[in-house]
Amino acid sequence: MFSEDKLVKVKEIIARYPEGKQKSALIPLLHLAQEEFGGWLSVETMDYVASLLQLTPIEVYEVATFYSMFNLKPVGKYVFEVCQTGPCMLNGSDQIIEYIKQKLKIDVGETTPDGLFTLKTVECLGACGYAPMMQLGKHFREHLTPEKVDAIIEECRSKAN
């Protein structure tokens, strides 16, 4: 369950929308839930969000499973979401994905044994002019090269200590 201060935030979010249109608050509440409950959405968490919005659980599952920004299993502290659509692929995202896999010794969708990194591939992040790129938290990392990936990994490791 959300803490008292988060429940206040939930009510504020729901109040943004007209009466009977509380489903419009679903994506913001899923973001809040993911942030609050360890970076991912369990079935229990999605059911809880459904109850807050007076929705059926399937209505929440449909949204949570559609968008790559929602994690449906535990993830690492740092999630590398590498774009794999056309412009990024033409500029080397496939090679960047392979490099990250080798460097971290994980496959796409996996988390390192230390729980620090998860690698995901995602559809267009809307920054085609900066390809290849990835999202790391709320920030884009652009014009990726193996050297830039190494620096990002080291930056994350230093912040984790």
Side-chain angles (χ1 to χ4, degrees):
M1 294 185 65
F2 283 123
S3 62
E4 284 302 316
D5 62 320
K6 292 293 183 195
L7 281 173
V8 168
K9 181 75 174 164
V10 166
K11 289 176 184 171
E12 287 173 9
I13 292 169
I14 294 170
R16 294 177 191 162
Y17 304 98
E19 184 67 34
K21 301 292 184 185
Q22 73 275 6
K23 187 174 183 177
S24 300
L26 180 54
I27 289 178
L29 288 192
L30 286 174
H31 279 296
L32 191 66
Q34 183 166 274
E35 183 181 300
E36 181 82 355
F37 301 118
W40 69 289
L41 300 170
S42 67
V43 170
E44 294 78 16
T45 298
M46 290 185 281
D47 290 350
Y48 175 58
V49 170
S51 72
L52 291 172
L53 293 173
Q54 300 171 6
L55 301 173
T56 61
I58 191 64
E59 292 175 282
V60 176
Y61 306 159
E62 289 169 342
V63 172
T65 59
F66 180 78
Y67 292 105
S68 62
M69 62 191 155
F70 298 119
N71 302 308
L72 302 178
K73 63 181 185 177
V75 293
K77 181 175 179 124
Y78 300 101
V79 181
F80 290 0
E81 298 179 271
V82 183
C83 180
Q84 65 172 1
T85 48
C88 280
M89 288 177 72
L90 289 172
N91 284 287
S93 67
D94 286 349
Q95 291 84 4
I96 293 297
I97 293 165
E98 284 305 312
Y99 183 78
I100 294 170
K101 286 166 58 174
Q102 291 173 6
K103 183 80 176 176
L104 297 178
K105 297 177 178 52
I106 58 173
D107 208 342
V108 172
E110 294 180 346
T111 300
T112 55
D114 62 3
L116 217 49
F117 300 100
T118 297
L119 175 60
K120 289 175 67 175
T121 55
V122 296
E123 294 305 315
C124 187
L125 292 167
C128 303
Y130 308 105
M133 57 88 60
M134 73 170 157
Q135 187 168 348
L136 176 59
K138 295 181 179 183
H139 303 282
F140 284 172
R141 299 301 180 99
E142 303 156 343
H143 301 294
L144 294 174
T145 63
E147 295 78 20
K148 285 185 178 182
V149 169
D150 288 344
I152 292 166
I153 290 170
E154 287 312 309
E155 174 190 333
C156 293
R157 284 193 171 127
S158 69
K159 286 181 182 177
N161 293 329

